[in-house]
Amino acid sequence: MYLCTLKNNIFFVLICGLKKTMKAIVLFGAPGSGKGTHSALIAQEYNFLHLSTGDILRAEVASKSDLGKLVDGYISKGALVPDELIINILAKKIDENIDANGIILDGFPRTVTQAEALDEMLERRGKKIDVMVDINVAEKTLFDRLVLRGSISGRADDTPETIKKRLAVYREQTEPVKAHYKRTNRYFSADNNGSVEQCFEQIKGLI
Ligand code: AMP
């Protein structure tokens, strides 16, 4: 009797282990909205992996690889790197971390093409984006935060001219991505005009 119960318990644990599904979240928002800060907080709170495409690309630039030289031309002008390139980079990162407890995507997808490619890429791997959290911040605050960040971090694309360009690129090419998640009932928004703590409480409620 005891052995039978033990066997059943082991079987149950094994099945649960096999069925364990990785949570996948998109943190969305304009440059300066706080995607990086909140992705780091979520990663810590839930033991999820934080994948920032901006960080991945900046690491390539710093390593002076051929890819780094290529993408630097786009980043320094405040333009998006081509879809095909970034989709392949992200797919590789996801494959390297397929056993993660959860993944937070910060800075991806930034175009509708990327959002569609992400759904396909995850579906092929038996996964999906559960939630997209859109972090809202007033335009003037975004600009001021980015100028301040540039003066502290020295990030090459945080100069007033490039910031204006990045915000325009966001409105034109990235904002339409929201509709993709609204259509599929995965869109949620959080307000980050107040404190980091207030916004994080909202995000935790959504996750
Ligand atoms: P971020 O750190 O997320 O603000 O990204 C910095 C820059 O990296 C952007 O302005 C783009 O040039 C490039 N970048 C990051 N993620 C993407 C993406 N998903 N698609 C295209 N370009 C990207």
Side-chain angles (χ1 to χ4, degrees):
M1 173 68 181
Y2 172 75
L3 261 182
C4 183
T5 312
L6 186 69
K7 258 203 236 156
N8 282 347
N9 284 349
I10 291 173
F11 185 65
F12 178 74
V13 169
L14 278 175
I15 291 293
C16 288
L18 287 175
K19 278 193 157 172
K20 192 191 92 167
T21 49
M22 175 184 88
K23 279 241 170 285
I25 297 163
V26 167
L27 266 209
F28 191 83
S33 59
K35 298 187 295 295
T37 302
H38 286 285
S39 295
L41 289 172
I42 299 169
Q44 198 179 23
E45 178 89 10
Y46 298 97
N47 186 28
F48 286 180
L49 177 79
H50 173 192
L51 279 184
S52 154
T53 44
D55 285 350
I56 296 167
L57 293 173
R58 278 185 290 277
E60 282 295 335
V61 174
S63 76
K64 297 190 164 41
S65 64
D66 288 344
L67 176 62
K69 284 176 199 151
L70 174 68
V71 298
D72 193 25
Y74 296 95
I75 297 176
S76 56
K77 290 191 190 78
L80 296 183
V81 309
D83 282 334
E84 203 189 324
L85 198 74
I86 193 76
I87 288 166
N88 287 334
I89 292 173
L90 187 84
K92 196 165 158 263
K93 286 282 170 195
I94 288 183
D95 283 339
E96 284 167 8
N97 295 284
I98 202 74
D99 293 326
N101 194 28
I103 290 190
I104 309 147
L105 296 181
D106 157 12
F108 189 99
R110 261 176 151 104
T111 64
V112 174
T113 303
Q114 291 178 21
E116 289 168 353
L118 178 63
D119 280 349
E120 281 168 27
M121 151 195 333
L122 290 178
E123 198 182 335
R124 263 185 266 125
R125 291 158 176 83
K127 322 263 179 217
K128 67 172 174 47
I129 294 294
D130 303 288
V131 178
M132 184 261 227
V133 182
D134 177 21
I135 305 182
N136 288 290
V137 175
E139 187 89 9
K140 171 84 173 78
T141 314
L142 292 173
F143 186 80
D144 293 346
R145 280 187 191 169
L146 289 168
V147 172
L148 179 70
R149 184 174 79 183
S151 69
I152 297 165
S153 72
R155 217 176 104 165
D157 59 348
D158 277 345
T159 59
E161 269 323 296
T162 318
I163 291 168
K164 274 187 208 148
K165 166 84 178 153
R166 286 163 60 210
L167 289 172
V169 165
Y170 171 76
R171 299 289 171 219
E172 283 157 27
Q173 299 183 51
T174 306
E175 260 198 327
V177 170
K178 290 182 195 179
H180 176 83
Y181 289 94
K182 283 181 181 165
R183 256 198 318 274
T184 47
N185 296 325
R186 292 174 293 172
Y187 175 90
F188 297 88
S189 71
D191 183 286
N192 198 17
N193 287 291
S195 70
V196 171
E197 291 76 19
Q198 282 168 341
C199 183
F200 189 49
E201 282 307 311
Q202 293 172 50
I203 295 176
K204 278 198 285 187
L206 296 172
I207 295 174

